Amino acid sequence: MSIRGGASVAQLQSELHRVPVLWSLYRPLLRLAPSHELAQHIQRAFRRTLPLRNLLKIQHKLIEGYSMLDDFDRIHAGDSILADKYATLSSHLARTRPAPTPPARRPPKPPVLTSGILFSTPYNPPLPRLKPQPEHISMLIFARRKAIQRRWDRFAVAQERAADAREENAFEARLGVQEGPWGLDWQELISESKKSFDMEAKRNAVSPR
């Protein structure tokens, strides 16, 4: 459709204008574009022209588009000068291509209180069941589990060292030599660990009403 013939904005928005431009300009440009960067540039350029309502500006954009389509035809026909020109433009577009916009992150859903109960374990007291369970509660339980595991590991080492000390004391008694007693510090650590385990169990138990 010729704009010089007095086309109106309503005509430019109609199928009589959109379909010929789509099939005779837009799609051929994408099909003949020498590079992926140029094809993306053409897509962005056409999207930017969609809101245009000024007839002279639309005419200018159409002239530019058909001129580029002629260039692409000449490149496919073997025009090396135009090929070099658009190769340089493609390199420039590749360097200045806008970074993709990351999708907007959905806000987390607020936890909903359910009728269930998160039963007490060695790592947590009884808690109301929330869905989804808040991350900070999960991390708190995980941190306490690691801390308790470290205490159990130290308790096991203390028991092993205390057993060695008892054997050493018995051996010295048989020889009639008494340099000990050995292992008092390990026995003290074992006693403190047991108190800590008892306190943890009481804290996590259900309190009587």
Side-chain angles (χ1 to χ4, degrees), residues 25-37:
L25 181 59
Y26 179 69
R27 293 193 176 183
L29 281 172
L30 295 181
R31 186 176 65 253
L32 297 176
S35 68
H36 178 67
E37 289 76 18

Side-chain angles (χ1 to χ4, degrees), residues 52-144:
L52 287 181
R53 296 295 179 265
N54 184 284
L55 300 183
L56 291 179
K57 289 183 179 180
I58 294 174
Q59 181 184 32
H60 178 69
K61 294 296 182 182
L62 287 174
I63 291 173
E64 284 184 350
Y66 281 109
S67 176
M68 180 177 287
L69 184 59
D70 290 340
D71 289 345
F72 290 174
D73 284 331
R74 291 168 61 185
I75 289 173
H76 281 270
D79 192 320
S80 59
I81 296 177
L82 279 176
D84 292 340
K85 171 186 171 182
Y86 280 97
T88 302
L89 178 58
S90 296
S91 299
H92 173 74
L93 291 172
R95 291 192 300 270
T96 59
R97 183 171 53 191
T101 304
R105 188 176 182 181
R106 293 184 178 180
K109 294 182 179 179
V112 178
L113 181 63
T114 69
S115 58
I117 295 177
L118 186 64
F119 291 103
S120 62
T121 70
Y123 316 112
N124 62 274
L127 297 169
R129 175 75 71 176
L130 300 175
K131 187 177 181 181
Q133 180 169 291
E135 184 178 352
H136 71 275
I137 294 180
S138 300
M139 295 304 296
L140 177 63
I141 295 173
F142 178 72
R144 293 182 66 177

